[in-house]
Amino acid sequence: MDAAFSLLVVNFVIAQIFVLAFGVVALKGPSRRSGLGFAVAFAVASLSAVCEALIPLTGHVRFFAIGAFVTLFGGFCLLARSITRHYGLRVPGGVFWLLFVSGVFTDFLIYDLPRGTVVHSVAYQTPFFLTMALSAVAVYRSDRRSAADMTLFSMLSLGAAFFPLKAYVAVAVGAGATASGYLLSKFALVSQGLGAVLIVATGLAMVGVFVKEAIDDAVAKSDIDPLSGIFNRRGFARRVTPHLERANATAAGALILADIDHFKRINDNFGHHVGDIVIQAFARVLREAAPSDAEVARIGGEEFAIYIPAVDSELARECAHNIRGAVSSVSLGQFCDNETITASFGVASIFGGDTLERAMQRADTALYAAKAAGRDQVHLAGGSQVLAS
């Protein structure tokens, strides 16, 4: 009994460590709702160890034995609910309530049956199997296949398999005739030991998923220009480069560089606040006017880039001309009278084997030609221009 009691203490302490870890995720991480759900699930499940430890110390054996099941299974249901929600598997909340009530009701029905019998063992372990299996299915059915997600799937699958195995072993070697006898059995020692290992492995896998999400969130935020809300130069390169690496020899696409005309004059005459509004308005026009599959970025102070996959230079030039027209229609009347936004554009085709740097150089040359020719127009690298209408 001393060994089983020690393992109960270990399991309780481990659960509190994960409660703390997921509590930090809930406060600081990008997946706050899931972090809170996991923290509550581990906190509730950890009460099972307290109930089991009190069984031999009090005269309320039935109360604490059933309490151990209710708290542990309640924690499993909360955990399954959090995992299915986190991985986008739509399971109505009523399903988990039904699962929980059914499991508790079953535990009441089988309480007086001899432990270690097939009926008792299968009925006791099945609810836990169902929650773990549902959690594993949620991870597997999602489109997430990172190492962290697959590790969590593996741990959940092992956890699901653990409960039928427990039922088999309980029947084969015995699990004590009563709740008090369970704690004195070798089965309790093995069950608590393996349970501790699975708790640690599954908890660490969940922490790994959150760590990866936090890193991905930080990287994504570092790729976004905070003023315009579109990609910055690094984010643009990270998104476009894979397109170029996969492109064939003739359909890599086109690059458009755009520069707001006389932007310094706007800042000098009306202040940087209005300049920021112009940047934001220009970015909004780019997002709305560019094709849905285009990548849009602010790569400098008032310089922007648009990558359009699998188009030729003529279509890209037409797109740039449409954007130029949309920009000129933006009104700044509430901030400055008689001031309109115009922009110059340089367009360059990108071919298979091309690099983003070389395409940027060609588009930049075309952009400077457009500005030198009077601004508010589109120039094609190595080709003609589209004048302002």
Side-chain angles (χ1 to χ4, degrees), residues 8 18 37 71 83 99 103 117 194 197 217 231 247 254 265 278-279 306 316 349 367 383 386:
L8 289 173
F18 283 118
T71 52
I83 290 176
L99 188 61
T117 61
L194 290 177
V197 172
D217 183 65
F231 288 116
R265 185 181 69 193
V278 170
I279 293 291
I306 307 102
S349 294
L367 171 61
V386 176

Side-chain angles (χ1 to χ4, degrees), residues 45-86:
S46 70
L47 297 177
S48 176
V50 177
C51 290
E52 288 196 21
L54 291 174
I55 288 174
L57 301 178
T58 69
H60 306 288
V61 176
R62 178 186 290 266
F63 176 81
F64 285 112
I66 293 177
F69 177 90
V70 170
T71 52
L72 183 61
F73 187 54
F76 271 65
C77 288
L78 290 171
L79 185 65
R81 176 61 171 160
S82 296
I83 290 176
T84 53
R85 182 190 294 124
H86 188 77

Side-chain angles (χ1 to χ4, degrees), residues 361-387:
Q361 290 173 0
R362 295 197 302 273
D364 198 48
T365 299
L367 171 61
Y368 273 94
K371 296 183 81 70
R375 295 183 172 85
D376 191 23
Q377 55 188 268
V378 177
H379 268 250
L380 179 64
S384 59
Q385 64 185 40
V386 176
L387 297 174

Side-chain angles (χ1 to χ4, degrees), residues 3 16 81 99 150 272 358:
Q16 302 316 305
R81 176 61 171 160
L99 188 61
M150 289 298 95
H272 289 277
R358 288 199 296 265

Side-chain angles (χ1 to χ4, degrees), residues 99-140:
L99 188 61
F100 174 73
V101 172
S102 299
V104 173
F105 181 70
T106 300
D107 188 55
F108 271 98
L109 288 179
I110 66 173
Y111 181 81
D112 291 319
L113 294 177
R115 303 214 169 202
T117 61
V118 173
V119 174
H120 186 281
S121 298
V122 172
Y124 191 93
Q125 303 299 340
T126 296
F128 295 101
F129 164 76
L130 292 176
T131 56
M132 293 295 279
L134 180 58
S135 300
V137 168
V139 178
Y140 183 78

